[in-house]
Amino acid sequence: MANVTFAGNSVTLIGSEVKVGDKAPNFTVLDNGLQNKTLEDFTGVRLISVVPSLDTGVCEAQTRKFNEEVGTLSNVTVLTVSVDLPFAQKRWCGSAGLDDVVTLSDHRDLSFGKAFGVAIEEMRLLARAVFVVDSNGIVTYAEYVNEVTNHPNYDAAIEAARKAD
């Protein structure tokens, strides 16, 4: 498993680490309308941006950056996953002026967090990570950010999304 810290303190990640070349594991999360969503509900290339909470500066910046940069690519869907309640995600999108952002809540049972190995046991949050899944369901990029309060490698993730098919 990836060695991850939160504000300098080691945390325990629950689940299995996902690696490039793996078949992306399925999961069930909630959309802003409280409807179940799975990986298969989204087609084409998917850039999955994982954040602890949309209500923090780094998470907001990450969400904006990926949606601005990758949102211009016609074959890529950006999915932002956190454990924020769907109501909070919807409110955040509206107040941030990002009505087209796809936010998904893993608050109910950490299905995504456990499937992708990003659920933080000590905090019931998700560790910061980025995954690119191609149209065949294969992981073509995986980054577990070693310090949850740090930014991911935006350039590498965006380039991976551009190259995926």
Side-chain angles (χ1 to χ4, degrees):
M1 285 299 295
N3 290 327
V4 173
T5 58
F6 190 100
N9 299 307
S10 291
V11 294
T12 307
L13 299 182
I14 302 169
S16 299
E17 185 174 353
V18 174
K19 296 181 169 74
V20 170
D22 289 351
K23 175 85 172 152
N26 204 12
F27 54 85
T28 302
V29 292
L30 294 174
D31 68 10
N32 291 166
L34 301 177
Q35 299 301 307
N36 285 335
K37 293 294 179 182
T38 67
L39 183 64
E40 287 86 22
D41 287 322
F42 304 94
T43 58
V45 176
R46 287 133 305 170
L47 184 144
I48 305 172
S49 174
V50 186
V51 299
S53 175
L54 289 167
D55 287 321
T56 68
V58 176
C59 297
E60 178 174 352
Q62 179 175 332
T63 302
R64 284 184 183 280
K65 176 81 169 177
F66 283 134
N67 280 279
E68 289 169 2
E69 296 283 331
V70 180
T72 63
L73 302 175
S74 62
N75 67 326
V76 180
T77 301
V78 178
L79 307 174
T80 298
V81 182
S82 74
V83 293
D84 294 311
L85 292 173
F87 312 109
Q89 290 178 335
K90 185 175 182 177
R91 183 194 74 246
W92 180 88
C93 289
S95 67
L98 297 173
D99 297 324
D100 294 330
V101 171
V102 178
T103 54
L104 301 169
S105 176
D106 200 24
H107 87 94
R108 186 174 46 198
D109 56 12
L110 297 175
S111 173
F112 175 87
K114 292 173 184 174
F116 279 75
V118 293
I120 301 174
E121 182 176 42
E122 296 84 353
M123 307 171 106
R124 203 173 194 290
L125 293 172
L126 301 181
R128 188 175 314 284
V130 183
F131 304 95
V132 175
V133 178
D134 71 13
S135 58
N136 296 311
I138 303 300
V139 176
T140 62
Y141 180 84
E143 178 187 6
Y144 292 81
V145 179
N146 62 352
E147 168 56 52
V148 175
T149 61
N150 290 345
H151 289 269
N153 185 338
Y154 295 112
D155 292 339
I158 291 165
E159 185 60 22
R162 276 195 182 98
K163 290 182 176 177
D165 60 355

